[in-house]
Amino acid sequence: MTAWRNISLWMDQLDEPLKARAALEHDLDVDVAIIGAGYTGLWTAYYLKLQAPTLNIAILEAQTAGFGASGRNGGWLMGNLLNDDRLLAKLPAEQRRASFDLLHGIPDEVGQVIAFEGIDCDYRKGGALYCAARYPEQEASQRDYLRHLHSLGLTHQDYRWLSAAELSEQLRIARPYGGIFTPHVATLQPARLVRGLARTVERMGVRLYENSPVTHWQPRQVRTAKATVRSHWVVPAVEGYGVSLPPLGRYHLPVQSLLIATEPLTCAQWQSIGLEHGQAFSEASRQVTYGQRSADNRLVFGARGGYQFGGRLRQDFNLTDSEIGLRRYLFGELFPQLKDVRISHAWGGNLGMARRFHPHMLCDHQSGLALSGGYGGEGVGASNLGGRTLAALILQQPNELVRQPWVRQQGGLANLSTWEPEPCRWLGYNAIIKSFVHEDQTLANPGAAPWRRRLASQLANAMESLMR
Ligand SMILES: Cc1cc2nc3c(=O)[nH]c(=O)nc-3n(C[C@H](O)[C@H](O)[C@H](O)COP(=O)(O)OP(=O)(O)OC[C@H]3O[C@@H](n4cnc5c(N)ncnc54)[C@H](O)[C@@H]3O)c2cc1C
C-alpha cells in the first residue's frame, strides 16, 4: 500500500511489502481486546502474553500497525516521562530515586527485548544532548533546569553540564553555549520497532486484525462495522486518536508534531556536525526542537505542530511550505552549512496530550478497562512502561510498576482531568504556542532590547504555568 509508505521516512524505509493483515469479519470472545496497534497496544499484548501465555488476546487496528504516532515519531527513546519531575517531587527521597531508576531503565529494557526477539530497529544508546544553541537565555534556563534535577536527587551521572567546548566534541552547532547531557536516551528507527513488535506478538499467538476500525466500545465489548468482540478486558490504545473513541477525546487532546528529513549527508558534512554515537539532540526552545542522525545518515529534525479546533484529527500530513520552512530555518540556525541541503521527506502525526501534561496508566477491575496514554510527545519509552504496567495491573502483580504516582488502580476514567470545552481549548492552546514562538523570535534577535527579552520570557513563563 503506497499510502502507508508515505506516512513517514521510517515507513518508506521498510523493506517489507506493507500488505494489510486480514480484517475482523466475525464475532469473537477473548480475554483482552486491544484497540490500536501502536507501541502501547503491542507492548501491552507482549508483556501479557509473556507472563500469561494462555490469555486469548485480539488487537483491532483501524489501518495498519504503525499507522499512528508509533510509525512516524522522531525516534527518541527516552528514560523518562513528560513532567515526571513534578510527579516525583512529592515522594520521599528514596522512593523518588527508585522511580527515577525505573524510568531510566526503559531504554535498556527495550534494548533487551528487541535483542531477544530479533527486532532490528537501528537501536543506539548514545544519550541525549539538550543544547543551549541559539541565544544566551537558553544557557541560563538549562542551568536552572539542571539545578532543579539535581535538587531532586538526580546525579551528575544522570544529567551533567557540558561546556561549549565539551558540547562541541559531540555536536557542533553554530553558537554553542553549552548544554545538558544525559545517558538515559537511545535513538531508533520507529517503524521498524512497531512493525517488529507486531510480528513478535503474532508469533506469540496474539490475533492482530488490520483495516478494522472500532466504531463503538463499552465495558466488556467492542464493535467494528462487521463484528462484535466480547472481552473481559478492553484496552483502548489509541493515544492521539482518542476522539475516534468517545469519550476519550475529552482526556487526550490531539496535538500535531511535524518532522523533516534531509537526504543522506556526506561523511564530510557529518564530520562538521558530529553525532557519531547515536546521540539524540534538542535545542532549549519551548517550540520543542529536536533531532537525530538516522542510521542512513540523514538529519531528522522536528518541532511542535498545531491543534485543530474541536479536537479534529489532522488527516493530511503533506506539510505546507511554511511548516517545512520553519523547520528548515531552525536547523539552518544550528547548522548553517546545511541551509541548502535537499529535504527528502516531510511528515507529521497526532499525539495525545493529557490535561495535566503528564501520562497516566490506569486499570479498573470492575469495568475491565485498562488505559495508558497522554504521553505528550514523549511516548516511545513511556509506552513500553505503559505496556508493562497495564500487564502487571491486569495480572494483579503487586510490583513496583503499579506503585507509581502515574498509576491509578481504581475508578477508571474518573481519575482523569478533562479538557475545557471549545473555544477555550483552541484559544488557550494557540495563545500558549504563540507566546512560545514570540519568546523564541525575540530572544533569537540579538538587537532586541533587554526589557523586551525579559518580557517575552515572562509572558511565556506565565502561559506555561497555565498548562499546569
Ligand atoms: C511526529 C511525531 C514525533 C514524535 N516524536 C517522539 C519522539 O521522538 N520520542 C517520543 O518519546 N515520542 C515521540 N512522539 C510520541 C510517540 O510517538 C507516541 O506517544 C507513541 O507512539 C504513542 O503510541 P500509541 O501506541 O499509544 O499510539 P499510536 O502509535 O498513535 O497508535 C494508535 C493506533 O490506534 C489506531 N486507531 C485509532 N483509532 C482507532 C479505532 N477507532 N479503532 C482501531 N484502531 C484505531 C491508529 O490507527 C494507530 O495505529 C512523537 C509523535 C509524533 C506524532
Side-chain angles (χ1 to χ4, degrees):
M1 295 283 284
T2 341
W4 289 338
R5 278 205 185 280
N6 294 341
I7 285 173
S8 65
L9 163 73
W10 316 116
M11 292 293 267
D12 193 25
Q13 284 181 334
L14 294 176
D15 39 24
E16 54 173 300
L18 278 186
K19 204 168 141 278
R21 295 172 170 86
L24 180 67
E25 306 276 355
H26 51 85
D27 293 353
L28 276 183
D29 282 290
V30 295
D31 300 311
V32 185
I34 296 174
I35 311 172
Y39 300 142
T40 302
L42 295 166
W43 280 124
T44 304
Y46 178 78
Y47 287 106
L48 279 172
K49 211 61 183 161
L50 198 64
Q51 297 168 90
T54 57
L55 272 186
N56 196 349
I57 303 175
I59 304 180
L60 307 178
E61 163 56 49
Q63 300 253 350
T64 190
F67 178 80
S70 302
R72 304 168 185 249
N73 61 72
W76 276 53
L77 167 60
M78 303 162 79
N80 65 270
L81 300 179
L82 182 69
N83 290 321
D84 53 16
D85 54 329
R86 269 202 278 140
L87 285 165
L88 297 178
K90 298 164 199 152
L91 299 185
E94 208 174 309
Q95 207 180 333
R96 183 164 63 229
R97 181 68 234 191
S99 295
F100 276 126
D101 288 342
L102 175 70
L103 297 177
H104 294 163
I106 294 173
D108 289 341
E109 166 68 19
V110 172
Q112 278 156 22
V113 175
I114 59 175
F116 182 74
E117 301 295 350
I119 301 173
D120 179 4
C121 57
D122 303 333
Y123 174 97
R124 284 165 302 170
K125 191 167 174 222
L129 299 156
Y130 296 93
C131 313
R134 283 191 295 139
Y135 39 85
E137 285 83 352
Q138 290 181 321
E139 179 180 349
S141 72
Q142 289 294 77
R143 283 189 184 272
D144 279 352
Y145 183 58
L146 186 61
R147 269 192 293 277
H148 165 65
L149 294 178
H150 289 168
S151 76
L152 294 174
L154 291 162
T155 67
H156 290 275
Q157 270 75 47
D158 299 314
Y159 294 91
R160 74 167 189 275
W161 185 256
L162 300 181
S163 66
E166 287 168 329
L167 177 62
S168 299
E169 284 166 22
Q170 300 198 54
L171 174 66
R172 288 171 278 288
I173 47 184
R175 286 182 293 279
Y177 294 94
I180 300 173
F181 174 75
T182 176
H184 304 305
V185 174
T187 54
L188 47 72
Q189 207 283 23
R192 292 212 174 112
L193 173 61
V194 70
R195 305 290 298 180
L197 279 175
R199 282 192 298 274
T200 303
V201 300
E202 271 186 314
R203 221 172 34 233
M204 295 166 94
V206 172
R207 281 177 278 175
L208 170 49
Y209 300 95
E210 295 189 328
N211 282 327
S212 303
V214 168
T215 51
H216 295 89
W217 73 293
Q218 63 188 69
R220 320 271 180 221
Q221 196 184 93
V222 302
R223 270 190 282 144
T224 66
K226 295 194 178 149
T228 298
V229 181
R230 283 173 297 275
S231 175
H232 189 79
W233 284 98
V234 175
V235 183
V238 298
E239 235 246 325
Y241 297 81
V243 70
S244 80
L245 294 180
L248 292 184
R250 294 165 56 195
Y251 307 102
H252 291 174
L253 202 69
V255 175
Q256 301 149 31
S257 181
L258 310 179
L259 285 155
I260 57 176
T262 66
E263 61 193 344
L265 303 179
T266 62
C267 286
Q269 283 169 318
W270 277 114
Q271 264 160 16
S272 75
I273 297 173
L275 297 181
E276 270 126 33
H277 314 293
Q279 302 98 318
F281 73 95
S282 83
E283 182 225 338
S285 151
R286 283 185 246 233
Q287 294 198 68
V288 191
T289 319
Y290 65 102
Q292 68 146 303
R293 173 179 180 171
S294 68
D296 67 341
N297 287 318
R298 296 165 196 271
L299 181 73
V300 179
F301 191 85
R304 196 198 290 267
Y307 162 73
Q308 302 203 118
F309 189 84
R312 269 182 306 117
L313 285 174
R314 178 168 173 178
Q315 312 282 357
D316 176 3
F317 280 103
N318 289 312
L319 304 199
T320 62
D321 288 347
S322 75
E323 287 170 332
I324 296 175
L326 171 66
R327 283 146 192 86
R328 203 182 223 305
Y329 158 76
L330 288 167
F331 85 65
E333 286 288 286
L334 306 183
F335 313 112
Q337 70 273 38
L338 299 187
K339 265 202 168 107
D340 296 322
V341 296
R342 201 175 72 82
I343 304 298
S344 64
H345 293 76
W347 72 98
N350 297 298
L351 55 92
M353 188 69 82
R355 178 62 190 89
R356 296 287 164 226
F357 298 92
H358 55 70
H360 39 255
M361 296 165 196
L362 55 92
C363 166
D364 185 23
H365 277 262
Q366 220 174 0
S367 61
L369 166 75
L371 175 82
S372 173
Y375 310 127
E378 299 189 1
V380 178
S383 55
N384 169 270
L385 186 75
R388 273 189 277 158
T389 305
L390 294 194
L393 289 165
I394 289 172
L395 300 175
Q396 293 188 280
Q397 297 165 335
N399 57 25
E400 57 161 355
L401 288 166
V402 307
R403 285 192 297 268
Q404 300 299 331
W406 43 86
V407 175
R408 293 284 174 275
Q409 302 205 39
Q410 279 165 7
L413 296 176
N415 286 294
L416 303 181
S417 305
T418 53
W419 281 94
E420 290 76 2
E422 294 291 17
C424 301
R425 278 189 227 176
W426 187 84
L427 289 170
Y429 183 85
N430 283 303
I432 291 169
I433 297 302
K434 282 218 158 59
S435 77
F436 292 175
V437 173
H438 173 253
E439 178 195 34
D440 211 35
Q441 283 169 346
T442 309
L443 299 182
N445 171 9
W451 68 268
R452 273 179 165 270
R453 305 175 81 87
R454 271 196 308 279
L455 193 66
S457 288
Q458 280 164 1
L459 180 67
N461 280 338
M463 296 306 270
E464 196 171 56
S465 66
L466 287 181
M467 292 167 46
R468 301 281 149 96

